[in-house]
Amino acid sequence: MSAKIISDYLLAASALSEGKLVALPTETVYGLGANALDEVAASKIFAAKNRPSFDPLIIHQSNWERLRAYVKEVPPAAKLLADTFWPGPLTLVLPKTDLVPELISAGLPTVAIRAPAHPLTRAVLAELNFPVAAPSANPFGFVSPTTAQHVADQLGSKIDYILDGGPCVVGLESTIIGFPKGEPTIFRKGGLAVEAIEAVLGKPIAIRTHSSSRPEAPGMLSRHYSPGAPMEIFPDLSEAPESALTNARIVFNHGGQPMSIQGMTTTYDLSPSGDLAEAARRLFTVLRQIAEQNFSYVAVVLLPETGLGRAINDRLRRAAARE
Ligand code: TXA
Ligand code: MG
């Protein structure tokens, strides 16, 4: 099989209705979609991604009304967040109803739901009378795709169609919020800034730290997003040892200044002008470019820990994690 890259949303919708795998553009990253209510179709997602069955999937539809039947016991804060940020880069984890197959929730009593913002995918969803299960369209543990070509490069031989909606405008996966004991809690930092969420809730939100054994959200596994090359994290470029600068480095806000110390260093500036949204959009493309270069060493300078910088740093730290 070799995936067809298409732009016809009706074709994408009919393929999904027939139980096929279709990669879909969202504002965050490309998703690998299948009918969430059809266990045979959804199981193809796990096979194509080589994803362990303990890792649950997010289900997508165009709005709250069309996702409502799949969740119960909705805390007021969950509805408030959906009303404020949907469609958008926010996923809510809530107790599931029996309509959600066990395969989707990986046996958990909860399900993750999201209304994505990309107009083409919203047009697909509007055609369907079922939600679409969609993890990021990359092999398990690898960097998420932000263009149709990224999907074709890594999963092209395993899926039927890729709906091309152009490059993703956010570039980081959605922020995931669950409600353990009714309290809103961030399970995964992502494309919606923590500050924006706290402004709506009117109070600070708890943030779950990573766990590698029983991950609350396995996107939280400590090693993820690996570009293959050994990476080392530095709070500041001046602290990176000289030898570290002979290969490649990821920096932010250096104004496009040449920074080559020994003439051999490839510098990837996530945003020369210091724009965190631009850095988020570019992050996964840069990690892919690094993966293609066979660098033996990459020095990474962290971004400011504010807004999207927190989610970006989180991915950089995990890309650098050894095991
Ligand atoms: O932006 C996104 O969220 C993209 C686009 C395609 O929507 N999707 C995405 O899916 O990033 P995925 O599968 O790569 O990451 C979803 C994360 C996983 O870490 C999974 O473990 C977690 O969500 N998750 C799903 N259901 C969950 C649940 N019931 N409880 C806790 N975590 C859950
Ligand atoms: Mg993923």
Side-chain angles (χ1 to χ4, degrees), residues 1-320:
M1 193 190 327
S2 177
K4 282 202 189 72
I5 298 186
I6 59 171
S7 53
D8 178 355
Y9 74 90
L10 290 174
L11 177 55
S14 64
L16 287 165
S17 301
E18 289 162 17
K20 292 186 171 150
L21 290 184
V22 180
L24 298 168
T26 84
E27 76 283 22
T28 59
V29 300
Y30 275 71
L32 180 56
N35 180 348
L37 305 185
D38 174 347
E39 297 208 43
V40 176
S43 67
K44 294 180 195 166
I45 292 176
F46 290 88
K49 276 186 63 102
N50 206 4
R51 181 179 175 114
S53 58
F54 65 71
D55 195 355
L57 302 175
I58 300 172
I59 65 171
H60 301 71
Q61 247 304 345
S62 44
N63 57 41
W64 175 261
E65 287 66 38
R66 300 189 80 185
L67 286 162
R68 182 67 186 85
Y70 305 101
V71 296
K72 54 187 183 189
E73 298 155 37
V74 178
K79 182 65 168 51
L80 173 64
L81 291 170
D83 287 344
T84 310
F85 294 114
W86 279 0
L90 170 70
T91 293
L92 299 172
V93 172
L94 292 167
K96 77 176 198 69
T97 62
D98 292 341
L99 294 175
V100 179
E102 296 276 299
L103 177 73
I104 298 297
S105 61
L108 295 174
T110 53
V111 65
I113 60 174
R114 176 161 113 82
H118 196 293
L120 208 49
T121 289
R122 294 182 62 72
V124 174
L125 293 171
E127 293 294 316
L128 306 176
N129 58 6
F130 53 82
V132 170
S136 52
N138 52 278
F140 185 69
F142 284 79
V143 171
S144 299
T146 53
T147 67
Q149 191 58 48
H150 290 166
V151 182
D153 291 346
Q154 285 193 300
L155 292 178
S157 64
K158 299 190 169 152
I159 62 184
D160 298 292
Y161 294 105
I162 301 168
L163 184 63
D164 190 350
C168 299
V169 296
V170 175
L172 298 175
E173 302 88 344
S174 61
T175 300
I176 302 181
I177 298 184
F179 299 85
K181 302 199 179 99
E183 274 306 300
T185 303
I186 292 188
F187 287 176
R188 176 177 75 183
K189 289 176 211 155
L192 184 60
V194 174
E195 291 88 335
I197 295 160
E198 291 180 333
V200 168
L201 295 177
K203 59 174 188 180
I205 186 169
I207 303 180
R208 282 254 159 116
T209 46
H210 314 148
S211 130
S212 45
S213 50
R214 276 226 54 179
E216 202 78 36
M220 299 173 74
L221 284 169
S222 47
R223 186 175 166 80
H224 208 79
Y225 309 105
S226 168
M231 292 173 58
E232 195 165 357
I233 299 282
F234 297 93
D236 188 292
L237 192 58
S238 64
E239 290 172 39
E242 196 80 344
S243 62
L245 297 175
T246 58
N247 219 277
R249 54 196 170 169
I250 301 176
V251 300
F252 172 74
N253 195 17
H254 280 264
Q257 314 258 344
M259 285 178 291
S260 179
I261 291 181
Q262 295 169 335
M264 297 293 292
T265 306
T266 310
T267 298
Y268 297 87
D269 193 339
L270 292 175
S271 171
S273 65
D275 175 355
L276 290 168
E278 180 188 31
R281 270 197 304 279
R282 292 198 58 219
L283 175 69
F284 291 148
T285 296
V286 163
L287 290 178
R288 265 163 209 278
Q289 287 168 350
I290 288 172
E292 282 161 15
Q293 298 291 325
N294 288 319
F295 289 126
S296 54
Y297 185 90
V298 182
V300 181
V301 181
L302 291 180
L303 284 70
E305 280 282 333
T306 64
L308 293 180
R310 294 165 76 167
I312 296 168
N313 285 343
D314 171 77
R315 283 114 189 111
L316 288 171
R317 287 197 190 92
R318 270 187 260 172

